[in-house]
Amino acid sequence: MIEFTHVSKRFRERGDALKDLSFSLQAGEMAFLTGHSGAGKSTLLKLIGLIERPTRGQIVVDGRSLGDLPRRRIPFHRRRIGMIFQDHRLLNDRSVYDNVALPLAVTGMSGREIGRRVRAALDQVGLLAFERARPVALSSGEQQRIGIARAVVARPPLILADEPTGNLDPELSSEIYDLFERFHEVGVTLLIATHDQERVARMAHRIMRLHQGRLVADSGNW
Ligand SMILES: Nc1ncnc2c1ncn2[C@@H]1O[C@H](COP(=O)(O)OP(=O)(O)OP(=O)(O)O)[C@@H](O)[C@H]1O
């Protein structure tokens, strides 16, 4: 599903954020990306989502080399990825329903089909009753779940999550990880960046650890 070959990313003002990274992630795998603040976790996820470009090396997603991807294919590439952020990035002047429907608005799907998909996604995260509410009226954990519903509404085969439970207490975090497990069970590929070393150690999934931009530990590199 994802293959990095000798990938480096250098920011002019900062130097190397990622150094000579090689790994692959199989379709259907669920893996955690850990490491100190500034280790390069977000940068790695951004490279996969084509929000940033590598300085060196090759990244292949779904059999396609991202370096060779024509510009017009980028929106299609992004639509196949569900991105989840720590800070939700919700539109507070829109309803929960509208926020979740956003990725479908550009697909030309009928309003009826959009409604069906949005309600299915809200049901998956336990928020069906809140579709008319504004995100600000909901708790932090609920807002995070809106972000997750929005990420999965287009049924992407790949989910990238950047500190998805950073602001949540342990109980709410567990709910989010249970949701990820459910996506994993139905075959979605997940790569989740987190500081929460204790939790990932308890879960039986691959752990990749970055330190100063290098991959220094990987519990399963195929
Ligand atoms: N657009 C940018 N311009 C310059 N430097 C950047 C940019 N994005 C990231 N960096 C730098 O690259 C390094 C890696 O940052 P990154 O956000 O990937 O780390 P992280 O492991 O996700 O950290 P955190 O856990 O704090 O989110 C940091 O030193 C950061 O300052």
Side-chain angles (χ1 to χ4, degrees), residues 167-190:
N167 293 324
L168 304 180
D169 64 36
E171 202 171 313
L172 289 174
S173 298
S174 297
E175 284 179 22
I176 302 288
Y177 283 107
D178 288 347
L179 264 173
F180 289 149
E181 289 281 10
R182 267 185 266 150
F183 295 129
H184 172 56
E185 279 163 19
V186 296
V188 175
T189 309
L190 294 109

mmCIF file of all heavy atoms in Angstrom, residues 167-190:
data_model
loop_
_atom_site.group_PDB
_atom_site.id
_atom_site.type_symbol
_atom_site.label_atom_id
_atom_site.label_comp_id
_atom_site.label_asym_id
_atom_site.label_seq_id
_atom_site.Cartn_x
_atom_site.Cartn_y
_atom_site.Cartn_z
ATOM 1 N N ASN A 167 -5.728 15.565 22.680
ATOM 2 C CA ASN A 167 -6.398 16.406 23.674
ATOM 3 C C ASN A 167 -7.421 15.648 24.512
ATOM 4 O O ASN A 167 -8.200 16.262 25.228
ATOM 5 C CB ASN A 167 -7.163 17.532 22.955
ATOM 6 C CG ASN A 167 -6.217 18.496 22.279
ATOM 7 O OD1 ASN A 167 -5.152 18.768 22.819
ATOM 8 N ND2 ASN A 167 -6.594 18.980 21.113
ATOM 9 N N LEU A 168 -7.454 14.346 24.373
ATOM 10 C CA LEU A 168 -8.552 13.599 25.001
ATOM 11 C C LEU A 168 -8.096 12.837 26.241
ATOM 12 O O LEU A 168 -6.934 12.431 26.339
ATOM 13 C CB LEU A 168 -9.139 12.602 23.995
ATOM 14 C CG LEU A 168 -9.640 13.199 22.674
ATOM 15 C CD1 LEU A 168 -10.193 12.097 21.784
ATOM 16 C CD2 LEU A 168 -10.714 14.252 22.933
ATOM 17 N N ASP A 169 -9.052 12.642 27.178
ATOM 18 C CA ASP A 169 -8.698 11.858 28.364
ATOM 19 C C ASP A 169 -8.628 10.376 27.971
ATOM 20 O O ASP A 169 -9.075 9.979 26.898
ATOM 21 C CB ASP A 169 -9.673 12.142 29.510
ATOM 22 C CG ASP A 169 -11.083 11.714 29.196
ATOM 23 O OD1 ASP A 169 -11.261 10.671 28.528
ATOM 24 O OD2 ASP A 169 -12.022 12.415 29.604
ATOM 25 N N PRO A 170 -8.067 9.530 28.869
ATOM 26 C CA PRO A 170 -7.819 8.129 28.486
ATOM 27 C C PRO A 170 -9.080 7.387 28.031
ATOM 28 O O PRO A 170 -9.022 6.581 27.092
ATOM 29 C CB PRO A 170 -7.274 7.510 29.772
ATOM 30 C CG PRO A 170 -6.667 8.651 30.507
ATOM 31 C CD PRO A 170 -7.487 9.851 30.191
ATOM 32 N N GLU A 171 -10.221 7.701 28.664
ATOM 33 C CA GLU A 171 -11.442 6.973 28.299
ATOM 34 C C GLU A 171 -11.887 7.306 26.868
ATOM 35 O O GLU A 171 -12.209 6.416 26.073
ATOM 36 C CB GLU A 171 -12.551 7.330 29.287
ATOM 37 C CG GLU A 171 -13.637 6.279 29.338
ATOM 38 C CD GLU A 171 -14.600 6.566 30.478
ATOM 39 O OE1 GLU A 171 -14.107 6.853 31.602
ATOM 40 O OE2 GLU A 171 -15.806 6.555 30.220
ATOM 41 N N LEU A 172 -11.863 8.606 26.554
ATOM 42 C CA LEU A 172 -12.249 9.025 25.198
ATOM 43 C C LEU A 172 -11.233 8.528 24.175
ATOM 44 O O LEU A 172 -11.598 8.144 23.064
ATOM 45 C CB LEU A 172 -12.377 10.546 25.130
ATOM 46 C CG LEU A 172 -13.568 11.137 25.868
ATOM 47 C CD1 LEU A 172 -13.493 12.660 25.859
ATOM 48 C CD2 LEU A 172 -14.882 10.691 25.237
ATOM 49 N N SER A 173 -9.965 8.517 24.564
ATOM 50 C CA SER A 173 -8.927 8.001 23.665
ATOM 51 C C SER A 173 -9.210 6.540 23.343
ATOM 52 O O SER A 173 -9.099 6.112 22.195
ATOM 53 C CB SER A 173 -7.547 8.083 24.310
ATOM 54 O OG SER A 173 -7.225 9.397 24.584
ATOM 55 N N SER A 174 -9.615 5.779 24.360
ATOM 56 C CA SER A 174 -9.896 4.353 24.130
ATOM 57 C C SER A 174 -11.013 4.191 23.112
ATOM 58 O O SER A 174 -10.953 3.309 22.245
ATOM 59 C CB SER A 174 -10.314 3.661 25.430
ATOM 60 O OG SER A 174 -9.260 3.715 26.330
ATOM 61 N N GLU A 175 -12.015 5.063 23.195
ATOM 62 C CA GLU A 175 -13.128 4.975 22.237
ATOM 63 C C GLU A 175 -12.628 5.193 20.807
ATOM 64 O O GLU A 175 -13.055 4.520 19.883
ATOM 65 C CB GLU A 175 -14.189 6.035 22.544
ATOM 66 C CG GLU A 175 -15.046 5.683 23.731
ATOM 67 C CD GLU A 175 -16.072 6.788 24.012
ATOM 68 O OE1 GLU A 175 -16.371 7.569 23.091
ATOM 69 O OE2 GLU A 175 -16.542 6.850 25.156
ATOM 70 N N ILE A 176 -11.720 6.157 20.660
ATOM 71 C CA ILE A 176 -11.185 6.451 19.326
ATOM 72 C C ILE A 176 -10.378 5.251 18.811
ATOM 73 O O ILE A 176 -10.517 4.836 17.660
ATOM 74 C CB ILE A 176 -10.296 7.724 19.356
ATOM 75 C CG1 ILE A 176 -11.083 8.941 19.879
ATOM 76 C CG2 ILE A 176 -9.666 7.992 17.990
ATOM 77 C CD1 ILE A 176 -12.118 9.512 18.973
ATOM 78 N N TYR A 177 -9.559 4.676 19.693
ATOM 79 C CA TYR A 177 -8.758 3.521 19.255
ATOM 80 C C TYR A 177 -9.639 2.317 18.946
ATOM 81 O O TYR A 177 -9.345 1.536 18.031
ATOM 82 C CB TYR A 177 -7.663 3.189 20.271
ATOM 83 C CG TYR A 177 -6.513 4.166 20.167
ATOM 84 C CD1 TYR A 177 -6.291 5.137 21.132
ATOM 85 C CD2 TYR A 177 -5.668 4.138 19.062
ATOM 86 C CE1 TYR A 177 -5.269 6.068 21.001
ATOM 87 C CE2 TYR A 177 -4.642 5.048 18.918
ATOM 88 C CZ TYR A 177 -4.437 6.018 19.893
ATOM 89 O OH TYR A 177 -3.432 6.925 19.751
ATOM 90 N N ASP A 178 -10.754 2.181 19.677
ATOM 91 C CA ASP A 178 -11.695 1.091 19.356
ATOM 92 C C ASP A 178 -12.255 1.282 17.951
ATOM 93 O O ASP A 178 -12.426 0.325 17.199
ATOM 94 C CB ASP A 178 -12.862 1.059 20.357
ATOM 95 C CG ASP A 178 -12.411 0.548 21.720
ATOM 96 O OD1 ASP A 178 -11.299 0.001 21.796
ATOM 97 O OD2 ASP A 178 -13.176 0.714 22.695
ATOM 98 N N LEU A 179 -12.537 2.542 17.621
ATOM 99 C CA LEU A 179 -13.038 2.840 16.270
ATOM 100 C C LEU A 179 -12.005 2.454 15.206
ATOM 101 O O LEU A 179 -12.341 1.835 14.196
ATOM 102 C CB LEU A 179 -13.282 4.341 16.139
ATOM 103 C CG LEU A 179 -14.673 4.867 16.377
ATOM 104 C CD1 LEU A 179 -14.648 6.391 16.365
ATOM 105 C CD2 LEU A 179 -15.623 4.370 15.301
ATOM 106 N N PHE A 180 -10.745 2.818 15.465
ATOM 107 C CA PHE A 180 -9.687 2.469 14.513
ATOM 108 C C PHE A 180 -9.602 0.948 14.334
ATOM 109 O O PHE A 180 -9.415 0.452 13.232
ATOM 110 C CB PHE A 180 -8.339 3.027 14.969
ATOM 111 C CG PHE A 180 -8.228 4.523 14.858
ATOM 112 C CD1 PHE A 180 -7.446 5.248 15.747
ATOM 113 C CD2 PHE A 180 -8.895 5.211 13.853
ATOM 114 C CE1 PHE A 180 -7.332 6.629 15.643
ATOM 115 C CE2 PHE A 180 -8.791 6.590 13.742
ATOM 116 C CZ PHE A 180 -8.012 7.300 14.644
ATOM 117 N N GLU A 181 -9.736 0.230 15.452
ATOM 118 C CA GLU A 181 -9.686 -1.240 15.369
ATOM 119 C C GLU A 181 -10.805 -1.758 14.468
ATOM 120 O O GLU A 181 -10.622 -2.699 13.700
ATOM 121 C CB GLU A 181 -9.862 -1.873 16.768
ATOM 122 C CG GLU A 181 -8.681 -1.685 17.688
ATOM 123 C CD GLU A 181 -7.528 -2.662 17.409
ATOM 124 O OE1 GLU A 181 -7.549 -3.363 16.386
ATOM 125 O OE2 GLU A 181 -6.594 -2.680 18.228
ATOM 126 N N ARG A 182 -11.962 -1.100 14.562
ATOM 127 C CA ARG A 182 -13.091 -1.557 13.729
ATOM 128 C C ARG A 182 -12.816 -1.306 12.244
ATOM 129 O O ARG A 182 -13.127 -2.136 11.406
ATOM 130 C CB ARG A 182 -14.394 -0.887 14.169
ATOM 131 C CG ARG A 182 -15.127 -1.756 15.192
ATOM 132 C CD ARG A 182 -16.469 -1.185 15.538
ATOM 133 N NE ARG A 182 -16.335 -0.356 16.717
ATOM 134 C CZ ARG A 182 -17.076 0.711 16.991
ATOM 135 N NH1 ARG A 182 -18.006 1.093 16.127
ATOM 136 N NH2 ARG A 182 -16.899 1.373 18.101
ATOM 137 N N PHE A 183 -12.186 -0.163 11.929
ATOM 138 C CA PHE A 183 -11.823 0.085 10.530
ATOM 139 C C PHE A 183 -10.785 -0.949 10.073
ATOM 140 O O PHE A 183 -10.837 -1.457 8.956
ATOM 141 C CB PHE A 183 -11.284 1.507 10.339
ATOM 142 C CG PHE A 183 -12.310 2.575 10.608
ATOM 143 C CD1 PHE A 183 -12.043 3.630 11.473
ATOM 144 C CD2 PHE A 183 -13.554 2.525 9.994
ATOM 145 C CE1 PHE A 183 -13.000 4.608 11.726
ATOM 146 C CE2 PHE A 183 -14.513 3.504 10.241
ATOM 147 C CZ PHE A 183 -14.241 4.542 11.110
ATOM 148 N N HIS A 184 -9.859 -1.245 10.971
ATOM 149 C CA HIS A 184 -8.831 -2.244 10.657
ATOM 150 C C HIS A 184 -9.481 -3.605 10.352
ATOM 151 O O HIS A 184 -9.115 -4.285 9.390
ATOM 152 C CB HIS A 184 -7.874 -2.348 11.845
ATOM 153 C CG HIS A 184 -6.881 -3.448 11.743
ATOM 154 N ND1 HIS A 184 -6.023 -3.577 10.681
ATOM 155 C CD2 HIS A 184 -6.613 -4.496 12.570
ATOM 156 C CE1 HIS A 184 -5.259 -4.650 10.860
ATOM 157 N NE2 HIS A 184 -5.608 -5.214 11.993
ATOM 158 N N GLU A 185 -10.475 -3.952 11.146
ATOM 159 C CA GLU A 185 -11.143 -5.249 10.961
ATOM 160 C C GLU A 185 -11.817 -5.379 9.595
ATOM 161 O O GLU A 185 -11.954 -6.481 9.079
ATOM 162 C CB GLU A 185 -12.187 -5.478 12.070
ATOM 163 C CG GLU A 185 -11.551 -5.970 13.362
ATOM 164 C CD GLU A 185 -12.466 -5.802 14.558
ATOM 165 O OE1 GLU A 185 -13.696 -5.650 14.360
ATOM 166 O OE2 GLU A 185 -11.941 -5.794 15.690
ATOM 167 N N VAL A 186 -12.245 -4.254 9.026
ATOM 168 C CA VAL A 186 -12.888 -4.345 7.705
ATOM 169 C C VAL A 186 -11.898 -4.070 6.563
ATOM 170 O O VAL A 186 -12.296 -3.862 5.430
ATOM 171 C CB VAL A 186 -14.130 -3.426 7.586
ATOM 172 C CG1 VAL A 186 -15.208 -3.860 8.561
ATOM 173 C CG2 VAL A 186 -13.774 -1.959 7.784
ATOM 174 N N GLY A 187 -10.600 -4.083 6.893
ATOM 175 C CA GLY A 187 -9.605 -4.080 5.821
ATOM 176 C C GLY A 187 -8.980 -2.740 5.491
ATOM 177 O O GLY A 187 -8.172 -2.644 4.563
ATOM 178 N N VAL A 188 -9.343 -1.676 6.229
ATOM 179 C CA VAL A 188 -8.749 -0.361 5.969
ATOM 180 C C VAL A 188 -7.290 -0.373 6.465
ATOM 181 O O VAL A 188 -6.973 -0.992 7.479
ATOM 182 C CB VAL A 188 -9.555 0.742 6.707
ATOM 183 C CG1 VAL A 188 -8.902 2.101 6.549
ATOM 184 C CG2 VAL A 188 -10.996 0.773 6.208
ATOM 185 N N THR A 189 -6.408 0.286 5.731
ATOM 186 C CA THR A 189 -5.009 0.435 6.151
ATOM 187 C C THR A 189 -4.910 1.692 7.014
ATOM 188 O O THR A 189 -5.456 2.732 6.638
ATOM 189 C CB THR A 189 -4.108 0.594 4.908
ATOM 190 O OG1 THR A 189 -4.406 -0.463 3.994
ATOM 191 C CG2 THR A 189 -2.643 0.573 5.268
ATOM 192 N N LEU A 190 -4.241 1.593 8.168
ATOM 193 C CA LEU A 190 -4.164 2.759 9.064
ATOM 194 C C LEU A 190 -2.732 3.032 9.486
ATOM 195 O O LEU A 190 -2.002 2.106 9.857
ATOM 196 C CB LEU A 190 -4.993 2.532 10.327
ATOM 197 C CG LEU A 190 -6.495 2.434 10.174
ATOM 198 C CD1 LEU A 190 -6.965 1.020 10.413
ATOM 199 C CD2 LEU A 190 -7.199 3.353 11.166
#
